[in-house]
Each structure stands twice: as structure tokens, then as C-alpha cells.
Amino acid sequence: QAATVDYVNPAPYEGVVGATLFEDVQFMQGSSGYVNKLGKVDAGWYQLTLTDFVFPTAFQDLRVAVTTATKVVSILDLKDGFNQAIGYLQLNDRDSYYLSVYGVTQSAGFALYGVQLVQFVASPVPLPASLVLLMSGLLAWGAAGMKRRTAA
């Protein structure tokens, strides 16, 4: 069953995926895991994606966590037949971060996963046309009022 689930937080605002901070695709067999040091990052919102490619078999359990040395920032967990989870998390530039992946395959065979952490960049919000019209009307009204005062 192919599905995308948001387990952590919804997107903080409209935006686009920016620079990739971490990306990895690996096979696992049995019960396995690893930790990767991300180090210092730029402050801002990040999109974390975890994918079970269901090739050659699916994972029984697959998780990814972003942590500091002392606290868990975010955990994505694939379960209930879903093969992709996307979450959004806010990181600061004061802490050093780690990314941990843990998986258990359904059988003694291999399973393939992918994990990606990218910076989430805000899209510029355009001014609505009605705001421009309102501002020009207020400006014209103020100019007319000043003209009346100077004429009197």
C-alpha cells in the first residue's frame, strides 16, 4: 500500500524544499540501525522524509529520529502498511544534531529504505491586489483632504 503520512507536524507555511542537508539510501537485513552526526545546522524549518521502498521485502518496523545530545527533536515511524512518512521540524543553530535510523525486516531477507532531510524555505507571500487598491484609495483620499485644507 503506497501512502504518505505526516506524523510530526504539518507544513509550517507554504514553501518549497531547499538545500539537502542529509540523504541516504541503504539496504538492511534483520534488525539494524546507525547514527549519523549532522553537526551544526542553519536555523529554520526542515522537512524529514522516510521511505520504505518495499524492495525486495518490506520493513516490519522502520524509524528515523533527529536528536541533540540530550533530547529527541523528532521521530518518524512507518507502520500500518504505509511506506512513506513526511514530517516538519524546526532546528536551531545553537545545537549539534544527530540522525538515527532503526529498522527490522519482515524476514531474513534484505529491505531498502531512504531518508532525506532538507531545509524548508518559505515562499514569498505576494500582496493581494485588493491591498494595493486600498492603499492607493487611501493615498488619493489623503491628498484630496490636504488639497482642500490648503485651498481654505
Side-chain angles (χ1 to χ4, degrees):
Q1 171 184 354
T4 300
V5 177
D6 180 2
Y7 284 113
V8 181
N9 294 313
Y13 37 71
E14 291 297 320
V16 295
V17 172
T20 300
L21 180 65
F22 180 82
E23 187 170 34
D24 192 21
V25 175
Q26 286 193 28
F27 279 104
M28 274 190 186
Q29 182 181 23
S31 175
S32 185
Y34 78 92
V35 177
N36 190 307
K37 183 176 182 181
L38 300 174
K40 300 279 186 183
V41 299
D42 293 333
W45 284 93
Y46 288 81
Q47 177 180 305
L48 179 62
T49 304
L50 179 63
T51 304
D52 177 357
F53 290 108
V54 192
F55 173 79
T57 62
F59 280 92
Q60 180 180 336
D61 187 15
L62 183 61
R63 298 175 187 173
V64 63
V66 175
T67 64
T68 66
T70 58
K71 69 179 179 177
V72 175
V73 177
S74 172
I75 296 178
L76 287 180
D77 184 9
L78 287 180
K79 56 186 173 185
D80 300 327
F82 290 103
N83 68 342
Q84 188 177 61
I86 298 173
Y88 297 88
L89 53 145
Q90 191 170 18
L91 304 178
N92 63 54
D93 56 0
R94 296 179 307 277
D95 290 322
S96 189
Y97 293 95
Y98 301 87
L99 187 135
S100 307
V101 178
Y102 169 76
V104 177
T105 58
Q106 290 185 352
S107 64
F110 286 91
L112 182 66
Y113 76 89
V115 64
Q116 182 183 47
L117 182 64
V118 295
Q119 193 160 21
F120 192 74
V121 181
S123 295
V125 179
L127 289 177
S130 58
L131 183 60
V132 173
L133 185 60
L134 174 67
M135 294 305 288
S136 63
L138 289 174
L139 186 63
W141 184 39
M146 287 181 67
K147 190 175 185 181
R148 243 182 284 149
R149 267 192 232 152
T150 56

